[in-house]
Amino acid sequence: MSKVGLFYGTDTGNTERVADMIKDKIGADICEVHDIATASAGDFAKYDKIILGQPTWYYGELQSSWDDFWDDFKGIDFTGKTVACFGLGDQADYSEYFLDAMGLMHDIAIENGAVPAGYTSTDGFEFDESKAITEDEEFFVGLGIDEDQQPELTAGRIDEWVDQIKEEMEI
Ligand SMILES: Cc1cc2nc3c(=O)[nH]c(=O)nc-3n(C[C@H](O)[C@H](O)[C@H](O)COP(=O)(O)O)c2cc1C
């Protein structure tokens, strides 16, 4: 069984917690978790199946350690790799920028050759704008988690999503 590499960044710990929940559900023996603050571009080369997690901060901006890594990230060749993204945000207080960083991260991976996985419906969320949605606005380009407004839905959303990506990524 090939390993899955999960790369996340966090400012206040929520994304780390979600990353751990995803790892536990996939299986700690299969899923290797990397904090992007200490990761290198070379770490990505070890995996054909990759999960990327990032919260959005300060009106549509990247999380700080992802921001520091961004130039390296743009240089990674994702050809032959399947990539599933997850993002954290707040759909009420940042309704015009909901999950933007997940969208920016997804777009780079796709531009650099990744096969996308893990799109989810936008049903059940209320927001004005997002860079993390498909053109028809029906899907997020990954899993959306809102620990500020809908923390009670997080565990169920993760469970359902991990089942979905296990199939799509053949984990
Ligand atoms: C000052 C501030 C700015 C934020 N900006 C955004 C934003 O632009 N878009 C969004 O969806 N969420 C935004 N959020 C919500 C965070 O993404 C959310 O709280 C997330 O769970 C934080 O994840 P972390 O603990 O992993 O850093 C913001 C939160 C704060 C406190």
Side-chain angles (χ1 to χ4, degrees):
M1 177 88 60
S2 62
K3 303 261 184 197
V4 176
L6 188 161
F7 297 83
Y8 76 93
T10 187
D11 275 8
T12 58
N14 293 340
T15 308
E16 181 172 29
R17 214 166 43 249
V18 169
D20 280 341
M21 291 167 78
I22 292 170
K23 176 201 70 185
D24 288 344
K25 168 95 179 154
I26 292 176
D29 49 333
I30 297 171
C31 185
E32 296 180 343
V33 175
H34 300 263
D35 185 341
I36 203 68
T38 52
S40 69
D43 291 327
F44 284 77
K46 299 184 214 158
Y47 308 101
D48 291 334
K49 299 169 191 186
I50 293 175
I51 299 173
L52 304 174
Q54 177 169 190
T56 302
W57 275 91
Y58 304 116
Y59 307 98
E61 298 291 323
L62 301 172
Q63 183 269 334
S64 58
S65 36
W66 270 107
D67 196 24
D68 291 344
F69 188 71
W70 208 241
D71 281 342
D72 286 343
F73 184 59
K74 287 195 276 191
I76 295 173
D77 181 6
F78 283 96
T79 308
K81 299 179 191 288
T82 312
V83 171
C85 296
F86 68 97
L88 275 77
D90 177 337
Q91 63 199 292
D93 290 351
Y94 302 93
S95 188
E96 286 168 43
Y97 310 90
F98 185 47
L99 303 174
D100 277 3
M102 173 166 77
L104 300 169
M105 185 171 68
H106 161 275
D107 292 353
I108 302 257
I110 300 309
E111 267 170 42
N112 291 0
V115 175
Y119 286 18
T120 59
S121 171
T122 53
D123 288 354
F125 293 87
E126 265 185 54
F127 57 92
D128 289 328
E129 284 183 44
S130 173
K131 290 196 168 87
I133 52 176
T134 53
E135 246 172 73
D136 61 12
E137 302 188 357
E138 290 193 15
F139 295 93
F140 289 119
V141 296
L143 171 68
I145 294 288
D146 188 338
E147 282 286 86
D148 297 284
Q149 308 298 333
Q150 299 175 322
E152 72 284 1
L153 300 182
T154 295
R157 282 174 168 157
I158 289 171
D159 271 3
E160 207 175 307
W161 188 68
V162 169
D163 286 341
Q164 177 187 336
I165 62 167
K166 272 180 154 176
E167 260 194 57
E168 290 178 6
M169 299 172 89
E170 296 177 7
I171 295 170

